[in-house]
């Protein structure tokens, strides 16, 4: 069966060596979307064969970040499926078994060259300005029996792939079209290292085959590895998967997106107060579109619209302004209860107690603020005055809204509100309008002075709604307490 007709099985195959970069996250997202859209399987394979770069903490963070994004794998760590184990370091017996096939068929050979020799070869090639550099195939013709004997006598060797010296290797990339490489430019790459661990190339091919991967969706940086992989599939007599290489994500000013240029990892964006659905939505649209002009979409909407054909091969730039805007849109769409829980935790973290407030009250605060927050982390600071009397007043707002005459304004507002028996947004609004008419004062001046007194800041939701929620006694006493501070 050709790979494109197989049941869809795709993988995200990170190496736990560092943080989860947003580029990696987008690869995981496309794999996840494709699996869900095609009712296939999304599996997670941990490529931990580079023992020098392996990092336990990176593995932990990686699993945490994928889970936070909600990209739950159908098979993988903590979720065993039929083709495990899902850690490459636990599959060494499989690689040892598979490499024997290539040694037997003459497609692989033992190489005894020392690191020093390889360095000398490289130095000589560089000096002579050779077009083709790399291993000089010194051990390529050592008969297998001789090699096995040398190993039995304790010599150490790597196993290399016998790459054809002539010919062309091509493949059809689903996004980039047909791509060809000349075999003579390819090195006899190492398949099994001295420490008996496989290299990325060998493990990747063996696993993609044995784990029944139908499509390989991965970053553009792996394109040049693909002809090597195709040749390995050929040597094994296996059908290769369909390849789709995803466009690079660039930093706003060009170049690679990296921590040096600001936030670049999933963890950074979580800590900045982004919602997982924002990050998924935003990353998905870097290089893909739903075929219409929709931008703010739920995960299900994106899955429903997803197809590999609409991935664009061009590199795309990361626009953080747009990400911020999109986060506001997603917060606005967010479940109130989720935001209320987040708010309570955030308030407790800045020592503001919420236990004496009802759930309805907290939800009402969320309703007032959710359309104004760009970040989840905005919520606790924006909401603080609903839970505690402001202790400080914004300096800039003070010079703008308080001054000569403010005390009298504050007193007249109190006098207008005091008699209200029903203290709700409508009655409060009416009281303010009546006051402007009777006093000749401007509504903006009244609102500006008392908003600052009650909330400590100059911007926020509608004042009538804030007052209703806080209640009459609170509002009146906050205004009164601020009065002595209003005039120099
Ligand atoms: N382990 C490779 C990485 O870290 C996977 C590349 C691939 O998907 O084949 O990106």
């Amino acid at each position: 069966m050709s790979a494109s007709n197989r049941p869809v099985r795709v993988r995200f195959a990170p190496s736990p060596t560092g943080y989860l970069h947003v580029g990696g996250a987008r690869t995981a997202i496309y794999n996840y979307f494709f699996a869900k859209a095609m009712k296939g399987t999304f599996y997670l394979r941990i490529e931990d064969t580079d023992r020098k770069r392996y990092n336990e903490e990176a593995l932990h963070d990686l699993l945490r970040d994928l889970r936070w994004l909600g990209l739950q794998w159908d098979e993988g760590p903590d979720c065993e499926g039929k083709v495990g184990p899902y850690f490459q370091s636990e599959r060494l017996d499989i690689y040892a078994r598979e490499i024997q096939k290539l040694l037997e068929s003459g497609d692989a050979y033992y190489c005894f060259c020392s690191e020093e020799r390889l360095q000398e070869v490289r130095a000589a090639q560089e000096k002579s300005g050779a077009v083709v550099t790399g291993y000089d195939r010194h051990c390529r013709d050592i008969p297998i029996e001789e090699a096995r004997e040398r190993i039995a006598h304790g010599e150490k060797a790597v196993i290399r792939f016998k790459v054809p010296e002539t010919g062309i290797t091509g493949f059809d990339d689903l996004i980039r079209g047909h791509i060809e490489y000349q075999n003579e430019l390819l090195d006899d790459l190492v398949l099994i290292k001295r420490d008996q661990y496989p290299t990325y190339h060998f493990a990747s091919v063996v696993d993609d085959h044995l784990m029944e991967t139908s499509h390989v969706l991965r970053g553009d940086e792996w394109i040049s590895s693909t002809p090597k992989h195709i040749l390995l599939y050929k040597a094994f007599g296996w059908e290769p998967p369909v390849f789709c290489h995803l466009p690079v994500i660039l930093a706003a000013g060009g170049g690679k997106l990296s921590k040096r240029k600001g936030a670049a990892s999933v963890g950074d964006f979580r800590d900045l107060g982004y919602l997982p659905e924002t990050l998924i939505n935003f990353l998905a649209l870097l290089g893909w579109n739903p075929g219409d002009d929709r931008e703010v979409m739920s995960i299900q909407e994106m899955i429903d619209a997803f197809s590999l054909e609409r991935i664009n091969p061009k590199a795309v730039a990361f626009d953080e302004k747009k990400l911020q805007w999109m986060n506001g849109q997603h917060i606005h769409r967010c479940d109130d209860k989720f935001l209320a829980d987040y708010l309570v935790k955030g308030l407790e973290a800045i020592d503001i107690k919420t236990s004496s407030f009802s759930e309805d009250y907290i939800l009402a605060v969320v309703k007032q603020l959710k359309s104004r927050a760009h970040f989840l982390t905005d919520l606790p600071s924006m909401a603080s005055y609903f839970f505690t009397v402001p202790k400080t007043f914004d300096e800039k707002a003070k010079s703008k809204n308080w001054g000569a005459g403010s005390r009298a304004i504050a007193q007249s507002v109190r006098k207008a509100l005091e008699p209200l028996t029903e203290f709700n947004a409508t009655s409060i609004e009416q009281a303010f309008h009546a006051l402007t008419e009777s006093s000749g004062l401007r509504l903006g001046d009244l609102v500006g002075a008392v908003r600052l007194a009650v909330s400590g800041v100059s911007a926020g939701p509608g004042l009538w709604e804030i007052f209703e929620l806080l209640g009459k006694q609170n509002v009146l006493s906050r205004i009164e307490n601020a009065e002595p501070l209003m005039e120099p």
Side-chain angles (χ1 to χ4, degrees), residues 11 13-15 47 200 204 218 222:
R11 82 315 193 264
S15 302
E47 303 210 323
Y200 154 71
S204 173
R218 62 183 172 202
W222 299 102

Side-chain angles (χ1 to χ4, degrees), residues 174-193:
L174 207 66
I175 298 169
R176 299 181 149 260
H178 190 72
I179 298 178
E180 283 184 349
Y181 282 81
Q182 281 174 284
N183 292 343
E184 64 188 272
L185 299 178
L186 302 175
D187 206 6
D188 274 5
L189 54 133
V190 174
L191 302 178
I192 302 285
K193 297 177 279 190

Side-chain angles (χ1 to χ4, degrees), residues 11-17 27 45-47 88 200 204 208 216-219 221-222 229:
R11 82 315 193 264
F12 180 51
S15 302
T17 53
T27 300
R45 185 172 77 218
I46 305 297
E47 303 210 323
Q88 288 187 327
Y200 154 71
S204 173
D208 279 336
V216 167
L217 277 58
R218 62 183 172 202
E221 68 271 26
W222 299 102
H229 298 182

Side-chain angles (χ1 to χ4, degrees), residues 36-48:
K36 297 294 152 199
M38 303 301 288
K39 309 249 175 303
T41 305
F42 169 63
Y43 78 87
L44 179 62
R45 185 172 77 218
I46 305 297
E47 303 210 323
D48 57 350

